[in-house]
Amino acid sequence: AAAKEIATLIREKPQAVLGLATGSTPLGMYEELIRIHREEGLDLSQVTTFNLDEYYGLDRDHEQSYYQFMQEHFFQYVNIPQAQIHIPDGNPDDVDAYCREYEEMVRQAGGIDLQVLGIGTNGHIGFNEPAEELIPHTHLTELASSTVEANARFFSRVEDVPRHAITMGMSTI
């Protein structure tokens, strides 16, 4: 159903801006979007995407980076040009400046038309951990121990799970 909503949006607005998520929640949706692209001719060539987050400290070529996840599960199968795919850099030279740049790219694209989300086991959205006050814009965040433990299944050891991430803020989402 989610893939059909996205396909409808893209057909109505070919230059749609999609906010995308990683994790197990959207996998079936990505599979269905790939099928719609291949079998029904859904053209994604004008779509721009912005991913929610990335582990801080992981290079794009790390097997557990969200960049690799998105390439493996979605982008390699559809016709979105690489220049229109935006996934946070896990190793920026200046984190604060990079987060401001990511926000500006979203703003220049016109904002997110449709945001795909999953909700973490502790209720986090993106990597915005539950808190009394949520940060509105893209930022570096410390992951809750429950998030680290939940994501340990993707790493060899819990000690290998990054403790920080770059994430869109709630206002951006």
Side-chain angles (χ1 to χ4, degrees), residues 23-120:
S24 57
T25 301
L27 284 177
M29 181 198 69
Y30 291 138
E31 290 170 7
E32 180 64 6
L33 276 171
I34 292 164
R35 187 199 66 74
I36 294 169
H37 167 69
R38 287 181 173 167
E39 296 177 14
E40 299 178 22
L42 180 65
D43 180 13
L44 293 97
S45 66
Q46 296 179 62
V47 168
T48 298
T49 68
F50 289 93
N51 265 70
L52 278 170
D53 44 31
E54 178 61 274
Y55 287 117
Y56 181 67
L58 292 190
D59 290 321
R60 289 187 166 200
D61 61 352
H62 189 283
E63 66 182 351
Q64 293 305 324
S65 76
Y66 289 165
Y67 177 87
Q68 288 298 322
F69 179 96
M70 291 304 297
Q71 295 300 324
E72 178 183 337
H73 294 286
F74 186 58
F75 291 133
Q76 71 173 322
Y77 303 106
V78 296
N79 65 331
I80 302 172
Q82 283 294 320
Q84 292 159 214
I85 295 171
H86 305 284
I87 301 171
D89 181 352
N91 277 317
D93 292 330
D94 181 334
V95 174
D96 291 333
Y98 178 77
C99 290
R100 287 189 300 275
E101 290 170 19
Y102 201 75
E103 280 293 311
E104 181 60 18
M105 286 189 294
V106 172
R107 189 191 69 73
Q108 286 183 2
I112 307 291
D113 291 310
L114 188 147
Q115 179 70 59
V116 175
L117 296 170
I119 298 176

